[in-house]
Amino acid sequence: MTQKFIAERKLICEDRSTGVRKPAVVRIGEPYWAPGDPFASCPVEYLGLPDRFATTVFGIDTLHALQAASGFSCVESLLRLANREYRILWESGEPYFNDDQEPPPEKKDESGAETAKNFVAERKLICEEIATGIRKPVIMRIGLPYWTPGDPFASCPVEYFGLFDEFTDVKGMDTLQALQEAANIDELLQGLGHKYRFFYESGEPYFKEDRKREGNS
């Protein structure tokens, strides 16, 4: 199948032995279900590090695959591995791995961006109100990250049907960070733990802490 890439980060790869620099790009593809495969897939591509490297990350659903592909452990760990032989830099020339400095935002495309909310990943859960025991379905959907002309930050749509009536796009310094932040749904769900409990559609508790409590009861 033709891979569609939905988020990217532009960097510079410098050969430590020669000092030669060339552009490098990390790209995250649209997650998908392959016929007959019990797991969802999400492509990741690294261009110029020092050559093209592509892999596929798997998840229990399209959101999980997207989280795994765009998450810190996947992107940053491979860049750190490449950083041993090649210096990884931002487009400005600043070192990519520098905890003492805030990395600058990537150069934005001001030519205009497609901002239609095309959703590429979703997770279906059951939400139980603790006070009443009433359950209802909840669907979380992650959209395509995009640049808005004049906005210094990239945006990524995220929707929580069954929890909120209004939705605000998540911001990031580039499309990859916006996608990472939008896919980090667990932090928001944990913040609602005083009011709701969440379950997979199978009825199994969503959070490990809840599964442990049920096992001990």
Side-chain angles (χ1 to χ4, degrees):
M1 62 175 292
T2 302
Q3 294 179 346
K4 178 182 179 182
F5 290 92
I6 60 176
E8 70 175 19
R9 175 162 295 166
K10 296 179 180 179
L11 301 169
I12 295 172
C13 177
E14 179 186 278
D15 191 312
R16 291 185 182 275
S17 61
T18 65
V20 174
R21 294 184 175 186
K22 61 179 180 179
V25 182
V26 180
R27 302 198 301 176
I28 308 298
E30 183 173 345
Y32 61 92
W33 288 104
D37 193 334
F39 297 101
S41 303
C42 188
V44 184
E45 187 174 70
Y46 300 82
L47 302 176
L49 290 171
D51 302 309
R52 179 182 180 275
F53 170 75
T55 188
T56 301
V57 180
F58 301 96
I60 60 173
D61 54 24
T62 51
L63 178 55
H64 185 210
L66 183 65
Q67 288 173 325
S70 62
F72 180 88
S73 60
C74 180
V75 175
E76 305 297 304
S77 60
L78 190 139
L79 290 179
R80 282 197 178 277
L81 185 63
N83 199 56
R84 297 174 182 176
E85 187 174 355
Y86 301 89
R87 293 185 66 213
I88 308 301
L89 310 169
W90 293 97
E91 287 187 296
S92 66
E94 291 292 319
Y96 184 76
F97 295 109
N98 190 334
D99 298 333
D100 297 328
Q101 295 181 359
E102 191 70 22
E106 78 172 16
K107 185 178 179 181
K108 299 172 292 303
D109 179 6
E110 297 291 349
S111 62
E114 177 62 48
T115 59
K117 294 185 178 181
N118 300 313
F119 292 93
V120 298
E122 72 173 22
R123 174 163 295 163
K124 297 179 180 179
L125 298 175
I126 296 171
C127 172
E128 178 184 87
E129 188 172 10
I130 295 175
T132 64
I134 295 176
R135 293 189 173 191
K136 60 181 178 180
V138 172
I139 301 177
M140 288 144 292
R141 302 197 301 174
I142 309 298
L144 291 169
Y146 62 92
W147 287 107
T148 299
D151 191 338
F153 297 100
S155 302
C156 188
V158 57
E159 297 186 349
Y160 295 81
F161 286 102
L163 283 178
F164 307 111
D165 295 326
E166 297 182 358
F167 315 105
T168 301
D169 290 357
V170 177
K171 299 289 186 176
M173 66 179 183
D174 55 21
T175 52
L176 177 57
Q177 187 184 56
L179 182 66
Q180 289 171 331
E181 294 295 328
N184 184 22
I185 65 168
D186 286 3
E187 185 174 344
L188 184 141
L189 296 182
Q190 286 174 331
L192 298 173
H194 65 288
K195 187 175 181 180
Y196 300 108
R197 293 182 65 206
F198 296 95
F199 301 84
Y200 289 102
E201 290 184 296
S202 65
E204 180 183 6
Y206 182 71
F207 291 110
K208 291 182 179 179
E209 294 79 5
D210 292 332
R211 293 200 290 271
K212 289 179 181 178
R213 279 196 291 269
E214 285 201 352
N216 294 331
S217 62

